[in-house]
Amino acid sequence: ARTYLVTGAASGIGRAVARRLTARGHRVIGADIKESEDSAIRADLSTVEGRAQLVEEAAELGGGRLDAVVACAGVGLFDPVAVSVNGFGAIATLAGLRPLLAAGRDPRALAVASLAAVHETDPAIVAAVLAGDEEAAVAAARAAVERGEGRLVYASAKRALVRWVRRAAVTDAWAGAGIPLNAIAPGIVRTPLSRPLLEDPELHALTDASVPMPLHGYADPEQLAPLVDHLTSPENTHVTGQVVFIDGGADAVLRGDEG
Ligand code: NAD
């Protein structure tokens, strides 16, 4: 049995991943801002204190080691908080828990990014997140919202996360330490996060047009869990620095000729 830490474990994709891993006999330490039976750690990853608290409590609960980390917590809001949670929170989760992974067995790490990461973004937000400048990133996100481009905030945080993953994966700290580090890019998954998009008929039609999923349509969170399980299992020895699209074909439709 392995010990996994999963953020965002109280709902949606994180919960489905946590439950699958638990059912397969692994120990899962869940973390979330919300209290739930699936999250032993309650931490707000939008704050510096919450991120430090996550690392501290994970070290304690894991006994100084973890075998895998899944950074799944995120918000769907077109608001600067998306930069703090989906960008800084996810990067802090992976970077902060890396020393515990280095002490683990067949360690693996994964970030839940998004199909949105490879579409239109705001370069100022992406650059500020990668520079680790949260004040500048939040200011750039606020500026985007004010000029009516709030939709770019979420995508930009995810782009920065993906770029961070690809850069870090091949460094001494990760590849050199034998730790595969990847991201998945889901299309639309039926969770509380996407519910507002699917409840409103007009938004639903817009979503159908912007995220075409010819294979099996929108996904349920349980349909993502096996891929997360594989990428974070000892069986994954050579996939690293990748963004694996799990999107019913949306990326092939939208960017097929770029492959
Ligand atoms: P969800 O809302 O069901 O779950 C997200 C979880 O993250 C919640 O339990 C929430 O409490 C937690 N969270 C939010 N803010 C937090 C904070 N500040 N600190 C700690 N935890 C916090 O949504 P989901 O759809 O399962 O989303 C999981 C991940 O998948 C997110 O990163 C999201 O961006 C990504 N994603 C979702 C979709 C989709 O269509 N649902 C598509 C692509 C990517």
Side-chain angles (χ1 to χ4, degrees):
R2 290 161 63 70
T3 301
Y4 287 72
L5 185 131
V6 180
T7 71
S11 176
I13 300 167
R15 184 170 67 183
V17 166
R19 293 194 172 173
R20 175 186 169 98
L21 293 167
T22 303
R24 289 167 69 87
H26 299 298
R27 175 174 177 224
V28 177
I29 302 170
D32 206 286
I33 191 172
K34 279 198 302 236
E35 197 172 325
S36 86
E37 52 173 320
D38 294 280
S39 45
I41 299 176
R42 255 186 99 183
D44 178 359
L45 296 175
S46 73
T47 69
V48 171
E49 300 74 35
R51 295 167 201 152
Q53 184 201 334
L54 170 75
V55 173
E56 199 176 301
E57 291 188 29
E60 207 174 294
L61 290 172
R65 46 167 289 206
L66 292 171
D67 302 317
V69 171
V70 179
C72 185
V75 293
L77 307 169
F78 293 174
D79 180 282
V81 77
V83 162
S84 294
V85 182
N86 305 2
F88 289 91
I91 293 171
T93 297
L94 296 164
L97 298 175
R98 198 206 67 86
L100 299 179
L101 286 171
R105 204 162 147 207
D106 297 319
R108 307 285 183 260
L110 183 103
V112 178
S114 169
L115 179 73
V118 297
H119 294 284
E120 193 187 357
T121 57
D122 178 340
I125 301 174
V126 177
V129 175
L130 286 169
D133 188 341
E134 191 159 0
E135 218 177 280
V138 167
R142 200 167 291 131
V145 172
E146 277 163 14
R147 60 171 195 271
E149 292 189 320
R151 69 198 152 77
L152 299 185
V153 174
Y154 177 87
S156 303
K158 293 293 190 184
R159 170 78 65 87
L161 173 61
V162 157
R163 205 166 277 177
W164 184 87
V165 163
R166 288 174 66 80
R167 287 180 182 175
V170 291
T171 61
D172 285 348
W174 293 90
I179 315 173
L181 169 63
N182 293 287
I184 61 164
I188 299 290
V189 188
R190 289 187 206 92
T191 69
L193 184 144
S194 62
R195 198 167 293 147
L197 295 176
L198 305 182
E199 259 172 12
D200 177 87
E202 211 169 299
L203 281 178
H204 198 306
L206 276 174
T207 306
D208 287 344
S210 58
V211 189
M213 296 176 62
L215 180 71
H216 296 153
Y218 298 153
D220 289 320
E222 292 74 21
Q223 293 171 316
L224 272 64
L227 177 63
V228 174
D229 185 351
H230 170 69
L231 289 170
T232 57
S233 76
E235 276 191 332
N236 172 27
T237 55
H238 283 76
V239 180
T240 200
Q242 292 300 315
V243 183
V244 182
F245 290 84
I246 176 157
D247 65 355
D251 186 55
V253 172
L254 298 169
R255 295 196 312 157
D257 286 346
E258 288 170 39

